Amino acid sequence: MKATAKAHTNIALIKYWGKRDESLILPTNSSLSLTLDGFYTTTTVDFQEGLMQDRFLLDDQPVEGDAYHRVTQFLNLIRRLAGREDLYANVRSINAVPTAAGLASSASGFAALAAAGTKAIGLELNDQELSRLTRQGSGSASRSIYGGFSEWQMGSEEDGSDSFAVPIASAEHWDVRVAAVVLSSRVKKVSSRAGMKRTVETSPFYPGWIDSISKDLKEIKAAIHTKDFEKTGQIAEANCLKMHATTLAADPPFTYWNDLTMRVMQTVQEMRANGIPVYFTIDAGPNVKVLYLPEHEKSVEKTLREIPGVTDVILSKPGQGISYL
């Protein structure tokens, strides 16, 4: 009972920030992302009779603690769904996601785990069912089921049955590029999970953020379908800034940015002023992701690499959804 699956990570253009249900990972707002070809996880799940517990290797190293617990809890969901709670698994994951790149490997990790685990145990899930299951391991992972652009719909049901991702446009629809600008590998002081919770509970800006999402989503989906890069970039950049503004108003206030983050943002704005259409987006960390078109790749990469303090610039194209190896 063995299967191997590959899943790519994604970058949110309309951010997911806040949960309405912590245990089921139900978001307070819908979100939209682009799956990236350059960053992925390959996972093999092997359910075996006679195993007394799950074993988890990440990049060929045994994993313990919280990461191991999250994997076994997720495997419990798969076992329960299949009616095989007596089975344990050997899990081996290889991450092609640089840990310092600010691209959450949990998205590709849990998407690959869900795909390999369900196939290995004999479940035949469609993409919607797989996305709904994957969400319970990592919210952003629900979007990595699909290639190209996808939307994680927040849903309204208390049991989460209508909270899953749907495809918006394939990887082949539009060749939008992303440069991950690597600045810092230091562990952040406020985790994404803790930051979301604090912001939802204390930030007076948070209701305004929520109220703005439906308009952002409607407009960016229209821009993606018409391949309007300027509009897509403007909405993504503004949505990112609104999300980070909510953290500055939290109690106590906090930010994920550092001085280098600001320097990259300013450089992107200068490139734009000089006629190169580029836009930034930033998740819950200091590293910046820059959106650009293929014809500007050389000049964008050169300019970003020349910023003092930048340790790497990793380029990516639109990626594919789940694949089985």
Side-chain angles (χ1 to χ4, degrees), residues 163-219:
S163 181
F164 47 79
V166 296
I168 297 300
S170 71
E172 293 74 26
H173 168 72
W174 192 16
D175 189 7
V176 174
R177 305 286 175 90
V178 175
V181 186
V182 183
L183 308 175
S184 172
S185 57
R186 287 176 295 183
V187 176
K188 51 194 178 189
K189 294 178 181 177
V190 182
S191 71
S192 302
R193 187 172 295 183
M196 282 186 191
K197 188 172 171 57
R198 187 191 303 180
T199 306
V200 171
E201 291 176 352
T202 69
S203 177
F205 292 175
Y206 195 74
W209 152 259
I210 292 297
D211 290 344
S212 74
I213 295 294
S214 59
K215 181 174 180 285
D216 285 354
L217 270 171
K218 181 180 178 181
E219 292 185 353

Side-chain angles (χ1 to χ4, degrees), residues 283-313:
D283 285 332
N287 298 315
V288 183
K289 273 65 72 176
V290 178
L291 300 170
Y292 64 95
L293 293 170
E295 57 264 34
H296 301 295
E297 184 159 276
K298 285 185 179 179
S299 59
V300 168
E301 181 182 10
K302 182 176 183 292
T303 303
L304 294 174
R305 285 193 183 279
E306 288 173 350
I307 300 171
V310 168
T311 62
D312 202 2
V313 176

Side-chain angles (χ1 to χ4, degrees), residues 216-228 231-232:
D216 285 354
L217 270 171
K218 181 180 178 181
E219 292 185 353
I220 203 168
K221 283 191 283 189
I224 289 166
H225 283 302
T226 59
K227 302 181 185 178
D228 185 337
K231 189 72 172 171
T232 300

Side-chain angles (χ1 to χ4, degrees), residues 7-309:
H8 293 78
T9 193
N10 65 75
I11 179 67
L13 305 182
I14 303 298
K15 302 299 186 190
Y16 147 54
W17 194 242
K19 298 183 182 77
R20 60 185 173 92
D21 187 300
E22 295 272 345
S23 61
L24 290 175
I25 311 187
L26 297 177
T28 52
N29 64 276
S30 297
S31 56
L32 183 142
S33 67
L34 173 61
T35 300
L36 304 175
D37 79 326
F39 308 91
Y40 56 87
T41 302
T42 305
T43 297
T44 299
V45 178
D46 186 6
F47 285 103
Q48 296 179 2
E49 304 280 355
L51 284 181
M52 303 305 293
Q53 63 180 32
D54 296 313
R55 298 171 185 160
F56 178 35
L57 293 178
L58 177 60
D59 296 332
D60 292 322
Q61 297 298 314
V63 175
E64 298 175 345
D66 183 58
Y68 173 81
H69 180 69
R70 285 183 72 187
V71 167
T72 58
Q73 289 292 99
F74 190 74
L75 288 172
N76 286 342
L77 296 176
I78 294 173
R79 283 186 276 258
R80 204 170 302 134
L81 207 55
R84 292 304 308 267
E85 294 180 65
D86 57 315
L87 280 178
Y88 292 98
N90 284 317
V91 179
R92 181 173 180 265
S93 285
I94 302 295
N95 250 350
V97 183
T99 52
L103 287 153
S105 58
S106 63
S108 56
F110 275 97
L113 178 64
T118 52
K119 186 167 270 303
I121 211 165
L123 291 169
E124 293 293 334
L125 304 186
N126 61 34
D127 286 346
Q128 187 182 108
E129 292 167 334
L130 190 59
S131 177
R132 183 164 49 223
L133 172 67
T134 304
R135 184 204 77 230
Q136 296 173 70
S138 164
S140 59
S142 67
R143 301 184 304 243
S144 281
I145 301 303
Y146 305 99
F149 298 88
S150 64
E151 178 188 353
W152 174 16
Q153 299 177 336
M154 62 177 287
S156 58
E157 298 295 334
E158 288 186 12
D159 64 357
S161 57
D162 59 349
S163 181
F164 47 79
V166 296
I168 297 300
S170 71
E172 293 74 26
H173 168 72
W174 192 16
D175 189 7
V176 174
R177 305 286 175 90
V178 175
V181 186
V182 183
L183 308 175
S184 172
S185 57
R186 287 176 295 183
V187 176
K188 51 194 178 189
K189 294 178 181 177
V190 182
S191 71
S192 302
R193 187 172 295 183
M196 282 186 191
K197 188 172 171 57
R198 187 191 303 180
T199 306
V200 171
E201 291 176 352
T202 69
S203 177
F205 292 175
Y206 195 74
W209 152 259
I210 292 297
D211 290 344
S212 74
I213 295 294
S214 59
K215 181 174 180 285
D216 285 354
L217 270 171
K218 181 180 178 181
E219 292 185 353
I220 203 168
K221 283 191 283 189
I224 289 166
H225 283 302
T226 59
K227 302 181 185 178
D228 185 337
F229 182 73
E230 185 177 344
K231 189 72 172 171
T232 300
Q234 286 173 348
I235 295 166
E237 190 172 292
N239 184 269
C240 154
L241 290 171
K242 283 185 288 189
M243 184 201 101
H244 285 274
T246 66
T247 72
L248 295 172
D251 185 13
F254 65 101
T255 183
Y256 292 107
W257 299 351
N258 59 31
D259 56 336
L260 284 173
T261 308
M262 296 291 292
R263 193 176 297 168
V264 176
M265 290 161 62
Q266 288 164 353
T267 301
V268 169
Q269 290 167 340
E270 286 166 8
M271 278 194 278
R272 211 156 59 220
N274 291 328
I276 300 176
V278 282
Y279 297 87
F280 62 77
T281 187
I282 309 162
D283 285 332
N287 298 315
V288 183
K289 273 65 72 176
V290 178
L291 300 170
Y292 64 95
L293 293 170
E295 57 264 34
H296 301 295
E297 184 159 276
K298 285 185 179 179
S299 59
V300 168
E301 181 182 10
K302 182 176 183 292
T303 303
L304 294 174
R305 285 193 183 279
E306 288 173 350
I307 300 171

